[in-house]
Amino acid sequence: MGYSYEYSYDYPVNSGMSDSAFAAVLSIYMIIIMVALLFFIVEYIFRGIGLYMIGKRMGKSAPWLAFIPFARTYFHGDLAGTISLKKRSVKSPGVWNLVLPIISGIVVSILYFIFFFILGFGVFSSASYSYGYGYNPGLGGGSVLAMVLVLILMVVFLVAYQAVYGVLTALINFQIYGRFTTRNMAIAHAVLSSIVPLYESFCLFALRNRDFNPGMEPRLTPPPVRPIYPGNPVPPVHPTEPGAEPPVPPVHPTAPGAEPPVPPTAPETQSAGEMEQENRRD
């Protein structure tokens, strides 16, 4: 009886190449994440210190909001104060600076939900038709057109939101920079802050200790000091109140019944001879 063994090994030719490509892609991805994290940390620290020092010098009651997420967005707009335009004014830029991203997130979420609802409805209808149920609208012209319209609406909304929010941020930065620099430099810094990454953080950090322009100083008023009374003070009683004694009017010397004033008497003086006689008697 003969025995024979046959072994066959299948080595994939491209396995090493695919692993190295995956490792390279993963390395690039990790490098991008680390760089983005480093940018975020630098932006957070420099922007927080700048906003904190400027807010403290302006007399804000809670400058520590510069380090709180979301609250620092409101605090950034609050430092600008009222933004005066030609015909209108933005009285609460901090509130708008915080509310606009929230509104944008809600609207985009609703549009995404509508898009995926239309897509899912088309896929479900197509699958139902493949099993012999009903009419197959599928992903026909109507569904595709609806999804395209939703995408166009989303793009238009995002472009409009970025324009409005960018203008608001530029106006806020212009108000803050205008307290420390000239008007032209404030415009240039505001525009660069909207375009160049990290420029806003470094600019706020650089201006944190600069002197205010003449006339731009904050109006710092000390808090009112309440008077401190020792013990329990007794309030004065008004003469017209019930139970109060009527005041006694002064009596004029010429009034009837008034005693005439007694003239002052001059002190008695002794002569030198009288004093000598008294001394002899003693």
Side-chain angles (χ1 to χ4, degrees), residues 50-282:
L51 291 176
Y52 174 82
M53 293 301 299
I54 293 175
K56 187 176 181 181
R57 293 179 60 196
M58 292 180 63
K60 297 296 181 180
S61 59
W64 46 266
L65 292 176
F67 298 99
I68 307 299
F70 298 102
R72 69 201 306 244
T73 304
Y74 163 79
F75 188 69
H76 180 208
D78 186 60
L79 290 180
T82 302
I83 300 176
S84 300
L85 304 176
K86 290 184 178 180
K87 296 182 179 180
R88 297 182 181 180
S89 61
V90 182
K91 296 183 179 180
S92 301
V95 176
W96 289 108
N97 200 30
L98 178 63
V99 169
L100 284 180
I102 298 175
I103 296 176
S104 174
I106 294 174
V107 174
V108 171
S109 300
I110 293 174
L111 292 176
Y112 267 119
F113 175 79
I114 295 174
F115 176 82
F116 285 108
F117 176 79
I118 297 173
L119 178 63
F121 180 77
V123 173
F124 176 76
S125 300
S126 179
S128 299
Y129 179 77
S130 63
Y131 288 101
Y133 297 102
Y135 171 70
N136 177 27
L139 293 176
S143 299
V144 173
L145 180 60
M147 289 189 296
V148 171
L149 290 177
V150 172
L151 287 177
I152 293 175
L153 182 61
M154 186 183 302
V155 171
V156 171
F157 173 78
L158 289 176
V159 171
Y161 163 73
Q162 290 295 334
V164 173
Y165 193 73
V167 171
L168 177 62
T169 305
L171 290 175
I172 290 173
N173 288 329
F174 172 75
Q175 289 278 107
I176 297 175
Y177 300 156
R179 295 178 179 272
F180 306 98
T181 61
T182 61
R183 179 181 177 84
N184 294 333
M185 290 301 299
I187 295 175
H189 288 316
V191 173
L192 292 175
S193 297
S194 302
I195 299 174
V196 181
L198 298 180
Y199 191 91
E200 178 184 291
S201 302
F202 288 128
C203 193
L204 291 172
F205 183 82
L207 297 176
R208 71 190 189 281
N209 292 325
R210 184 172 295 185
D211 295 334
F212 290 95
N213 290 333
M216 293 290 183
E217 299 87 355
R219 299 178 180 178
L220 303 178
T221 56
V225 180
R226 299 180 59 183
I228 301 176
Y229 299 98
N232 297 324
V234 179
V237 181
H238 198 271
T240 58
E241 293 182 359
E245 298 181 357
V248 179
V251 180
H252 196 272
T254 59
E259 297 180 357
V262 179
T265 56
E268 296 180 355
T269 57
Q270 296 180 351
S271 61
E274 293 179 351
M275 294 178 61
E276 185 178 354
Q277 292 181 357
E278 288 183 357
N279 292 333
R280 290 178 180 179
R281 293 174 183 175
D282 294 337

